[in-house]
Amino acid sequence: IVMTQAPATLSLSPGERATLSCRAGQSIASSQLSWYQKKPGQAPRLLIYATSIRAAGIPARFSGSGSGTDFTLTISSLQPEDFAVYYCQQNFFGGGTRVELK
Amino acid sequence: QVYLVQSGAEVKRPGASVRLSCKASGYTFPNSGVSWVRQAPGQGLEWLGWVSTFEHNPGYAPKVQDRITLTTDTSTSTAYMELRSLTSDDTAIYYCARDLHFIRDLWGQGTMVTVSS
């Protein structure tokens, strides 16, 4: 199943809200949608699984929602350490959204 | 502590094969599968395949299915990935990840594979 993310890049300032979108090529079970954070030189980090469940140790400012083919990752108030690339994944990964400092 | 430790960096010639390992510690290895994921320079994450001790048939991405073999050794809690007929397009960091029902919650540190003549 092809996963498509938008936008490719988000330019935001610390404290702002980030909204990242992910669309599946066909309807998927909510249990199958995860979000990862990737920083240079580091392994990917699981943020959200089953659409909306935060992984262990993930701050509450990260939240996930959606169903069917449309899913969203929201970062309520960007912290300096949140500037990174974010990937959604069912089995295959989406192309990623880079959240960069404005 | 739970972790996955991957083998060291590799440099290969075009046309060669590479075999990477991923050793699990701190959890019951047969209870989860292992996915392999790579990231080429400047590119996104690419899922390559999945293997477990409880499914007889590994799953492979169409792009590499003719060149990849994933195996496990339960006696040493180690997963292996072999990729054959390497080209420069296979130059990437390769990661293994614990995978249960598409949830990849534990990742290895990554192995750099460079394919160059």
Side-chain angles (χ1 to χ4, degrees):
Chain A
I1 297 177
V2 175
M3 309 299 289
T4 303
Q5 292 186 241
T9 303
L10 265 178
S11 298
L12 296 168
S13 300
E16 290 193 294
R17 182 184 189 90
T19 303
L20 288 67
S21 296
C22 173
R23 176 163 290 176
Q26 63 189 69
S27 182
I28 63 172
S30 295
S31 62
Q32 295 181 347
L33 195 284
S34 299
W35 290 91
Y36 299 81
Q37 180 190 66
K38 181 68 171 71
K39 295 180 178 179
Q42 297 183 16
R45 176 191 184 194
L46 175 67
L47 297 176
I48 301 283
Y49 64 95
T51 297
S52 61
I53 302 175
R54 280 189 303 276
I58 302 303
R61 64 181 181 271
F62 291 92
S63 63
S65 63
S67 65
T69 60
D70 294 310
F71 300 88
T72 300
L73 174 70
T74 301
I75 310 171
S76 60
S77 178
L78 280 165
Q79 301 301 301
E81 62 268 27
D82 299 337
F83 292 92
V85 181
Y86 293 84
Y87 295 90
C88 66
Q89 170 244 316
Q90 185 251 352
N91 188 19
F92 292 92
F93 291 91
T97 292
R98 179 180 301 277
V99 177
E100 65 175 24
L101 190 60
K102 187 174 182 180
Chain B
Q1 285 185 345
V2 293
Y3 50 86
L4 296 171
V5 178
Q6 297 185 231
S7 49
E10 301 269 6
V11 179
K12 295 292 183 181
R13 301 292 190 197
S17 299
V18 69
R19 188 179 192 232
L20 308 182
S21 67
C22 170
K23 183 174 175 57
S25 295
Y27 71 94
T28 304
F29 183 69
N31 286 359
S32 301
V34 173
S35 268
W36 290 84
V37 174
R38 70 182 178 184
Q39 185 173 37
Q43 303 299 308
L45 300 176
E46 179 183 18
W47 178 78
L48 299 175
W50 175 87
V51 65
S52 78
T53 59
F54 51 84
E55 285 282 346
H56 293 297
N57 297 317
Y60 299 132
K63 183 178 178 181
V64 296
Q65 65 180 6
D66 294 335
R67 301 191 292 125
I68 192 172
T69 301
L70 301 183
T71 56
T72 60
D73 182 344
T74 54
S75 68
T76 60
S77 297
T78 303
Y80 297 92
M81 184 202 76
E82 181 185 40
L83 191 62
R84 301 174 292 277
S85 302
L86 293 168
T87 73
S88 57
D89 289 343
D90 296 312
T91 293
I93 300 174
Y94 288 73
Y95 296 99
C96 61
R98 183 171 66 177
D99 185 329
L100 188 61
H101 303 307
F102 299 142
I103 300 169
R104 295 158 192 164
D105 66 332
L106 179 68
W107 292 72
Q109 82 277 19
T111 297
M112 182 70 215
V113 175
T114 303
V115 183
S116 174
S117 55

